[in-house]
Structure formats: C-alpha cells, structure tokens
Amino acid sequence: MLDTQLIAFLIKKYLHNELTTEESLLFREWLNADAENVKLLSELETADKVFTDLSIYNRIAERQKEGTKLTALTEKIKERTRQDEKQPKPIRARSKRALNWIKYAAAILILFSSIYVYIKQTSDVPYPSENHSTHFSDIAPGTNRAILKLPNGKTIDLDNDADGIIADNTTISYADGRKIEIANSSAPQNAIVTLEVPLRGQYHVTLSDGTKVWVNAGSKLHYPLHFEGNQRAVELEGEAYFEVSTDEIPFIVKSKNQTLKVLGTKFNISAYDERKEIITTLVEGKVALGSENIQEAPLVLTPGQQSIFNGKRFSKTKVDVEQFIAWKNGQFYFDGVSPEEAFSQLAKWYDIDIVYEGTTPKFEFFGIIDRGKNLSGVLDILKKSGLNFKLEAQGTHRKLIIQDEQTY
C-alpha cells in the first residue's frame, strides 16, 4: 500500500495535469487497488474545495496506524465533500470563514515540497520570488560543521565533507579512516573532549564503545576518548540523537539537571539553554530519567513515549517519534507545531534571529520540508501558508521579522 502522504501528493499533481511517467504509474497503482479510490477521485475532481479536501486527507492520514485501509480515510473526505456541495455556491468570492479554513490548511503545502523522500529528483523545484531581500535570496542551509576541542585547549576544525568522526580509545579519525592529529594532547585517555556544532551545522560521532551520536545545530557533546570504570557517561548541551551500543555497563547522558540512564537504546534529547524544558523521545529500548532536584523514582520510557522535564517534575506522553528525529534524517517535520517552535528550528539551521512584530501567529504548521533547501525556498513555502514577514540584515547579522497573519 502506498504511503498516504504520497497518495495525496499524486492526487494533487493529477488534478493539475502534472504527473510524470513514474508518478503516473504509482498513481494508477493506487487507483486500481480499490474501487473506492476511483469514486473518491471522481468526487474530488468535481468538488469545489479540492484544496481543503486534500489538507483534510493529509491531516487524517498522519493519524492513521500503519496498515489501516484507505477506505476509512476516503469516507472522511467524502463526508467533507458532501457537506461542501450542500452549501450555497458563492457568486463572487469565498466567505471569510472558508478563506480562513484554506489559510490554515495552506500549511499542508509544505508537505508537497518533501516528495524527494519518495521520488528522488536531481534538482530542487524553483520557488517564485516574494520580494525577499537580496541579502537572503541565496542563503544556503546548514551542513556538516563542527569544532573538536581537546583537553589541552587545542581546537580542530573538522572536515565538512567527512561522514563524521570515530573515537578509538587513544585516537580520533574520520569515518573514511583518515587520522586526526591529536599528538600534542598529553591528557589521560578518559579526559573529556568536546564536539561543538555551531549554528547552521550538524555532525556525527561514534564513541569508543560504538555508540553513535548525531549532534544538532547549536549544540555541544562532552565525552571521553575512552570510557573507564562502571559507567559510560557523556554530557549534552542542546540536541542530539543517540544510538547506544548495548553493554552491561550503563550509559548515562547528563543534560542540564536531567540524568538519563540506559544499557542500549535509541533516543533523542533536546535540551537547549533557551528552552525551559528538556524533551526526551525514545525510539527503541528503555530509558530511566531522573534528577538531583526531585526525590522521585526514575521515570521509565518505552518506545514511542516522550518525557518533558521542566526542572521540577517529569511528564510523559505518547508521540510520533519521527517528528522528533526528522532533523537527523535531513528534514523539518512539522505536525501541528506552533510558529515559535517551527521558527526556532529554522533559526538554528540558517543562523538567523527570529523577531515577532505584533501578534504572534496562531495557526499551526503541518508537513515536511527538506533541510537541504536554501532559506529563500523555505520562506516561499511559509509565505503560502498565510505568513507575513520581512528580512533585515546588518552586516552578517540576519533577522527574520514575523508580522501578523495575512487577512482576507
């Protein structure tokens, strides 16, 4: 069964006569899979608000469990279509209510920019200009960028083209085998080194025990060249995704005043200084969370659960983990996030300041954006979601000013 997001994308392109040969084959596969799909397409072709219906389709599809039949989704869309057909057709313009619905649904268009996940393309689709400042028209996205700080104070600018580094007890090398010169360091093997990833950067490190860590923009990972004793401990400032190598020796991650303990698992921690909360999302395995500030039994997470620690107490909830580890896979994944959260992610990846002028926008963002896009491409997508903004620059200092939402 085709991915429901891909189906929505194909329907949109079909209705605009934009399907490629490969996409036509995929679309035909879905169409022939169920007679209900043919009926759905027929209704969408004649519906007055196809744009709205597609946004509903995507929103519902995000909530479906893997393996659920598409007929459940089609019934929801048909119901919406039938309701639309009962409404009087506007003679001149859509009602304000309808326009507002479309405005909020417009954020779903972000999803369509991510089809690269399913159909590999050789180049980005150009987006029309929206009077962006020339200072920002070609701002490139973040890349592999990091600085390695040794115990003796020496710093090393790591190779941007390398696929991460590997710590091997007494040496550090790139993933391709090239050694990194650290001979001047006379510190013991368990001395702490720091991988510092600046804004507009990310980097991957394999620790001496085989644990893999992806470090996000604006973050620091403090770790020893070699783990010794009865625990494996690292310290994180910012955000990182961990795939911990299984071992009888506990693996500990300290983030501000939170302590996470595991034996072997996959999880993401977001503990940026500007946020009051520490967000821990578990992908595989099991983790126990605690803090010196509270006298409670450790909070245990199982796969698909997330904890939020505000410094005083832990809370736990079930989440879609893909949204919280998408950055590692080269995506911004917005599933009902606030503008503040969405722009916070953009700020770190493009190294820009975010300023809100007037009322903070209230609508939520849904969809996926390729982190490989230039800033102008991302802003053009956001512009279509009903956002007013302006860009300012003073030398190398860049600022995105978010204004009020568009009105209709």
Side-chain angles (χ1 to χ4, degrees):
M1 182 176 65
L2 293 177
D3 187 286
T4 52
Q5 293 181 1
L6 175 56
I7 293 169
F9 177 85
L10 295 175
I11 291 174
K12 172 180 177 290
K13 293 199 71 176
Y14 169 80
L15 294 172
H16 291 83
N17 296 317
E18 296 174 348
L19 286 173
T20 65
T21 301
E22 182 180 7
E23 291 166 350
S24 295
L25 293 174
L26 291 172
F27 180 70
R28 185 62 55 183
E29 176 186 333
W30 169 77
L31 202 61
N32 294 334
D34 193 328
E36 291 296 316
N37 296 342
V38 178
K39 293 179 182 179
L40 168 64
L41 180 63
S42 178
E43 293 189 14
L44 287 176
E45 287 179 311
T46 58
D48 181 55
K49 292 193 288 187
V50 171
F51 183 89
T52 302
D53 293 326
L54 286 174
S55 70
I56 295 175
Y57 184 91
N58 279 278
R59 194 69 187 101
I60 298 171
E62 284 292 310
R63 294 290 182 258
Q64 296 300 305
K65 292 183 178 180
E66 185 176 356
T68 300
K69 291 185 177 181
L70 292 179
T71 51
L73 305 178
T74 61
E75 284 305 314
K76 291 287 187 180
I77 303 173
K78 288 177 182 178
E79 180 182 352
R80 176 69 190 184
T81 302
R82 286 191 289 266
Q83 290 175 355
D84 291 341
E85 291 172 349
K86 293 178 181 179
Q87 300 299 323
K89 299 294 182 181
I91 296 176
R92 288 172 296 179
R94 297 180 188 269
S95 68
K96 182 176 181 181
R97 180 179 179 183
L99 285 169
N100 281 338
W101 176 263
I102 290 177
K103 176 178 65 174
Y104 295 121
I108 297 298
L109 280 178
I110 298 172
L111 177 66
F112 299 137
S113 72
S114 66
I115 193 61
Y116 75 97
V117 176
Y118 308 102
I119 301 173
K120 297 298 184 180
Q121 307 211 3
T122 55
S123 60
D124 280 345
V125 177
Y127 290 89
S129 174
E130 293 284 353
N131 296 322
H132 294 308
S133 165
T134 56
H135 294 288
F136 294 81
S137 62
D138 60 352
I139 294 180
T143 60
N144 277 351
R145 301 172 60 206
I147 298 171
L148 189 65
K149 294 186 175 181
L150 303 177
N152 63 354
K154 180 181 178 181
T155 61
I156 301 172
D157 290 327
L158 297 176
D159 187 346
N160 295 357
D161 296 325
D163 187 20
I165 59 174
I166 299 174
D168 185 17
N169 295 330
T170 60
T171 64
I172 301 177
S173 61
Y174 290 111
D176 61 10
R178 289 178 293 142
K179 299 295 184 182
I180 297 176
E181 180 58 51
I182 60 172
N184 292 333
S185 176
S186 57
Q189 292 182 11
N190 62 349
I192 301 299
V193 298
T194 299
L195 180 71
E196 181 174 347
V197 179
L199 298 176
R200 295 185 64 231
Q202 64 180 31
Y203 220 80
H204 173 244
V205 56
T206 301
L207 306 181
S208 61
D209 66 334
T211 292
K212 298 178 180 179
V213 189
W214 287 259
V215 185
N216 205 355
S219 304
K220 297 179 182 179
L221 179 69
H222 309 278
Y223 65 95
L225 281 176
H226 175 68
F227 291 114
E228 292 184 348
N230 59 0
Q231 70 178 28
R232 301 170 288 167
V234 301
E235 184 174 349
L236 172 67
E237 300 176 49
E239 183 170 26
Y241 174 79
F242 292 79
E243 292 186 356
V244 176
S245 176
T246 302
D247 196 308
E248 294 181 357
I249 300 176
F251 190 95
I252 295 174
V253 182
K254 297 180 180 179
S255 305
K256 293 194 282 192
N257 52 3
Q258 173 184 283
T259 300
L260 177 149
K261 182 178 180 181
V262 300
L263 293 177
T265 189
K266 298 179 182 179
F267 57 92
N268 191 85
I269 297 179
S270 182
Y272 285 109
D273 286 340
E274 66 269 23
R275 300 188 67 137
K276 295 180 180 179
E277 304 90 0
I278 302 174
I279 301 175
T280 305
T281 308
L282 183 63
V283 179
E284 291 183 10
K286 183 182 292 187
V287 300
L289 298 166
S291 173
E292 296 178 355
N293 294 357
I294 58 176
Q295 301 298 319
E296 295 180 2
L299 177 72
V300 176
L301 295 184
T302 57
Q305 291 185 330
Q306 180 182 87
S307 77
I308 299 178
F309 180 53
N310 63 7
K312 297 180 180 179
R313 62 181 297 271
F314 287 95
S315 61
K316 181 169 64 174
T317 186
K318 189 80 173 177
V319 297
D320 176 7
V321 297
E322 293 301 323
Q323 177 179 352
F324 299 93
I325 66 171
W327 66 267
K328 179 185 77 73
N329 300 321
Q331 301 170 349
F332 296 107
Y333 190 132
F334 301 138
D335 186 12
V337 303
S338 66
E340 293 96 326
E341 172 60 27
F343 289 121
S344 175
Q345 295 184 38
L346 296 179
K348 291 181 176 64
W349 191 236
Y350 293 98
D351 192 9
I352 56 176
D353 291 336
I354 305 296
V355 177
Y356 293 94
E357 187 176 87
T359 304
T360 303
K362 300 301 182 184
F363 63 84
E364 298 175 329
F365 285 116
F366 300 93
I368 305 171
I369 301 179
D370 179 2
R371 275 171 48 122
K373 287 185 178 296
N374 285 353
L375 178 61
S376 59
V378 174
L379 293 181
D380 280 333
I381 295 171
L382 297 181
K383 187 77 172 181
K384 293 169 184 160
S385 69
L387 199 66
N388 285 325
F389 56 83
K390 62 182 178 180
L391 300 163
E392 293 183 357
Q394 294 180 345
T396 58
H397 185 70
R398 301 165 292 184
K399 182 186 300 183
L400 176 65
I401 301 175
I402 311 299
Q403 300 171 309
D404 290 338
E405 301 172 39
Q406 296 176 10
T407 56
Y408 295 84

